[in-house]
């Protein structure tokens, strides 16, 4: 059974930080590129960051570049999203996704508010 389980979301003040984790199982994680998406209420789901199989290549949406960092630990079957300098507009449900396979996690809520 394929599973992508996100964790680490929560409530944080503007300027704060959170680290999201996505634990994968049921497929060969080490051969899969991975992505993070987010969806705010009433808005379309958008690509936030992506990372290559070995972690050597990363890409970011312009809105998060310089603030977010995506990484992975293939030995732990886990992909991470370190989010710094958070803004209210970062508030959304964040989803882990395996492109080329079509696997989605259930999402974790991130709320940035004072």
């Amino acid at each position: 059974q394929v599973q992508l389980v996100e964790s680490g979301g929560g409530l944080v003040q503007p300027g704060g930080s959170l680290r999201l984790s996505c634990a994968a199982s049921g497929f060969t994680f080490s051969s899969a590129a991975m992505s993070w998406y987010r969806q705010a209420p009433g808005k379309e789901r958008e690509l936030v960051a992506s990372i290559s199989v070995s972690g050597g290549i990363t890409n970011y949406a312009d809105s998060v570049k310089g603030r977010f960092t995506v990484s992975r630990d293939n030995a732990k079957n886990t992909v991470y999203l370190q989010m710094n300098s958070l803004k209210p507009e970062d508030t959304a449900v964040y989803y882990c996704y395996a492109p080329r396979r079509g696997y989605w996690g259930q999402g974790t809520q991130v709320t940035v508010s004072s």
Side-chain angles (χ1 to χ4, degrees):
Q1 185 81 278
V2 171
Q3 285 196 101
L4 294 173
V5 181
E6 302 96 333
S7 62
L11 175 64
V12 65
Q13 293 189 112
S17 298
L18 285 174
R19 189 195 195 200
L20 306 184
S21 298
C22 172
S25 61
F27 67 101
T28 306
F29 177 81
S30 60
S31 69
M34 298 295 297
S35 299
W36 286 96
Y37 283 74
R38 68 185 181 187
Q39 188 165 26
K43 297 186 177 180
E44 294 184 339
R45 190 170 297 187
E46 65 172 339
L47 178 64
V48 175
S50 59
I51 187 166
S52 63
V53 170
S54 65
I57 303 172
T58 57
N59 290 284
Y60 301 92
D62 287 343
S63 59
V64 308
K65 189 171 293 185
R67 300 187 297 120
F68 290 11
T69 303
V70 62
S71 61
R72 67 191 296 159
D73 186 339
N74 286 347
K76 296 181 179 179
N77 285 359
T78 302
V79 61
Y80 305 95
L81 185 66
Q82 178 68 46
M83 306 186 295
N84 298 327
S85 302
L86 283 162
K87 304 175 180 179
E89 48 263 50
D90 294 320
T91 296
V93 177
Y94 284 71
Y95 298 91
C96 185
Y97 178 65
R100 301 173 183 260
R101 299 170 186 254
Y103 302 149
W104 291 96
Q106 84 291 346
T108 186
Q109 176 71 49
V110 172
T111 302
V112 185
S113 177
S114 58

